[in-house]
Amino acid sequence: MQRDRSMERVENIEKQGAVQVPPPKRSVGPFLIYYKKQLELMKSKGIVDKISTTVKKEIREKWMNLDEDSKLEYKKEACENSEKYANLSHNIPRKARKVSLYTRCAPNHVHLTVSNLNERQRFVLREMGFGSMLDLRSIQLNRDFCKWLVDHLDHNSCALDICGRRLPISTKDVEFILGVKSSGVDVSIVASAEEINHICQQHGVNVVGDIPINLLEGKLKEMKTLGKEFVGCFVLFVLGTLLCPTPKPYIKRSFISILLNIDEFKSLNWAKLVLDFLIRGVRKYKEKNRVGVSGCLLFLMVICRK
């Protein structure tokens, strides 16, 4: 026993004296590599002193206008960095991360963003049928409870099985809880790649791939206008953070096609979109054994207590 304790003390001393090697930095994509190099070039030439929204936009536009051959070198560098990161990080022990459920459903995030809107912007959103989003309180999701609800949601019959009782869910429930319309024309998320790229340019969302939520949030903070660009940006932000969120900090690029019908927003069936998206998210979560779920988990929390 005495020898075992002595060995433990020696091992502890060795661990304390060991040099701690920092983990390698995670590799980034081709656009970020291009972005950093352009920024360094602009600073070295004295073109810019600080990173502003205008500078970021200018670099994004340059990237969008590059041909595939010019982008190839950055893609190769990103690929090489990714391989190096994989090789370096392979043997680094990782701490187990205990997370009940991954979700980007963030009603408190929406509440904070809405609080910065001016009265004229609020009026426009109420006229478009999104007044309930303006009255949303700051609510923190209970992820353990959300996981329990998702596990008890029958995605085939669209009903919650709770304590021996079955609670059917409908679009009317979505309207009652979230305040979005449950009748009218279905929301269309269908458009060609050309149409989607054109809409992105119209609304100043010039990004490659899915749209970062923080980009939409930043645009909303800067906007003081009331036009279609503001309405479109707000709706995409709310979809990505509350109504139709995924486990990732992005909104699917296909959702930009919704802005084709921006003049008809008031007559669209948003509740059906929300419910369908949640049911699909729960189905994928269960059938594909995922750790994250797509959909409005706030709705599940509230309807369970109704």
Side-chain angles (χ1 to χ4, degrees):
M1 180 65 70
Q2 185 67 32
R3 184 176 182 279
D4 291 342
R5 288 178 180 173
S6 298
M7 288 300 294
E8 286 178 7
R9 284 197 292 270
V10 171
E11 289 174 358
N12 289 335
I13 292 170
E14 287 177 349
K15 288 178 181 178
Q16 291 172 6
V19 177
Q20 299 295 318
V21 179
K25 290 185 178 180
R26 188 176 293 275
S27 57
V28 297
F31 169 70
L32 282 181
I33 294 174
Y34 174 81
Y35 175 85
K36 289 178 180 179
K37 288 184 178 181
Q38 285 294 309
L39 199 58
E40 290 172 0
L41 182 63
M42 293 170 80
K43 285 183 176 180
S44 66
K45 291 184 176 180
I47 300 175
V48 295
D49 295 324
K50 61 180 182 178
I51 307 172
S52 65
T53 304
T54 305
V55 172
K56 292 179 181 179
K57 186 177 180 181
E58 182 181 339
I59 296 176
R60 282 199 302 269
E61 288 177 352
K62 284 183 179 179
W63 173 261
M64 294 290 289
N65 293 325
L66 281 181
D67 55 49
E68 288 302 318
D69 290 337
S70 300
K71 290 181 180 180
L72 188 60
E73 62 174 292
Y74 301 102
K75 291 181 180 180
K76 286 182 178 179
E77 185 174 344
C79 186
E80 290 173 359
N81 291 342
S82 181
E83 290 177 358
K84 290 178 183 177
Y85 174 79
N87 293 331
L88 290 171
S89 62
H90 180 70
N91 295 319
I92 295 177
R94 301 180 184 276
K95 292 182 179 179
R97 189 178 180 186
K98 186 180 179 181
V99 178
S100 297
L101 190 72
Y102 283 99
T103 175
R104 289 284 174 173
C105 184
N108 54 343
H109 204 174
V110 177
H111 173 79
L112 289 172
T113 301
V114 164
S115 64
N116 293 322
L117 300 179
N118 60 49
E119 288 304 316
R120 294 177 66 196
Q121 289 173 326
R122 289 168 174 267
F123 176 79
V124 169
L125 293 175
R126 291 188 190 279
E127 287 294 300
M128 299 295 284
F130 288 94
S132 60
M133 299 296 104
L134 305 178
D135 303 323
L136 189 70
R137 293 180 298 164
S138 181
I139 304 171
Q140 189 71 35
L141 292 184
N142 183 328
R143 299 199 178 200
D144 290 330
F145 183 44
C146 285
K147 185 179 187 307
W148 184 86
L149 288 170
V150 169
D151 290 340
H152 287 76
L153 177 61
D154 185 345
H155 54 270
N156 293 315
S157 60
C158 196
L160 276 168
D161 293 318
I162 303 174
C163 303
R165 196 165 60 95
R166 170 154 286 218
L167 177 64
I169 299 173
S170 69
T171 55
K172 287 292 183 183
D173 296 314
V174 178
E175 180 178 32
F176 178 76
I177 291 171
L178 298 178
V180 292
K181 191 176 172 65
S182 65
S183 60
V185 182
D186 289 358
V187 180
S188 175
I189 315 179
V190 179
S192 66
E194 291 182 359
E195 287 177 315
I196 290 176
N197 290 335
H198 179 65
I199 301 169
C200 284
Q201 291 177 358
Q202 276 188 328
H203 290 264
V205 188
N206 297 321
V207 294
V208 179
D210 292 338
I211 304 166
I213 299 298
N214 58 7
L215 172 63
L216 299 171
E217 183 182 9
K219 285 174 65 65
L220 282 173
K221 286 180 180 179
E222 296 173 2
M223 283 183 182
K224 301 301 178 185
T225 58
L226 312 174
K228 291 183 179 180
E229 185 178 349
F230 162 70
V231 175
C233 186
F234 179 83
V235 170
L236 289 177
F237 171 75
V238 168
L239 286 171
T241 52
L242 179 66
L243 301 181
C244 298
T246 69
K248 298 180 180 180
Y250 303 91
I251 182 170
K252 291 181 178 295
R253 189 174 181 81
S254 57
F255 270 75
I256 200 78
S257 59
I258 289 175
L259 304 189
L260 281 171
N261 302 315
I262 201 165
D263 292 325
E264 302 171 8
F265 273 5
K266 196 171 183 178
S267 62
L268 298 180
N269 190 338
W270 295 101
K272 185 176 185 300
L273 174 69
V274 173
L275 186 57
D276 288 348
F277 193 84
L278 173 63
I279 295 300
R280 283 197 302 272
V282 172
R283 178 181 290 110
K284 289 180 179 179
Y285 169 79
K286 292 182 176 181
E287 293 179 353
K288 298 186 178 182
N289 196 28
R290 294 182 173 178
V291 295
V293 63
S294 298
C296 184
L297 298 185
L298 173 67
F299 167 69
L300 283 185
M301 278 183 54
V302 177
I303 195 173
C304 181
R305 297 170 179 173
K306 188 177 71 166

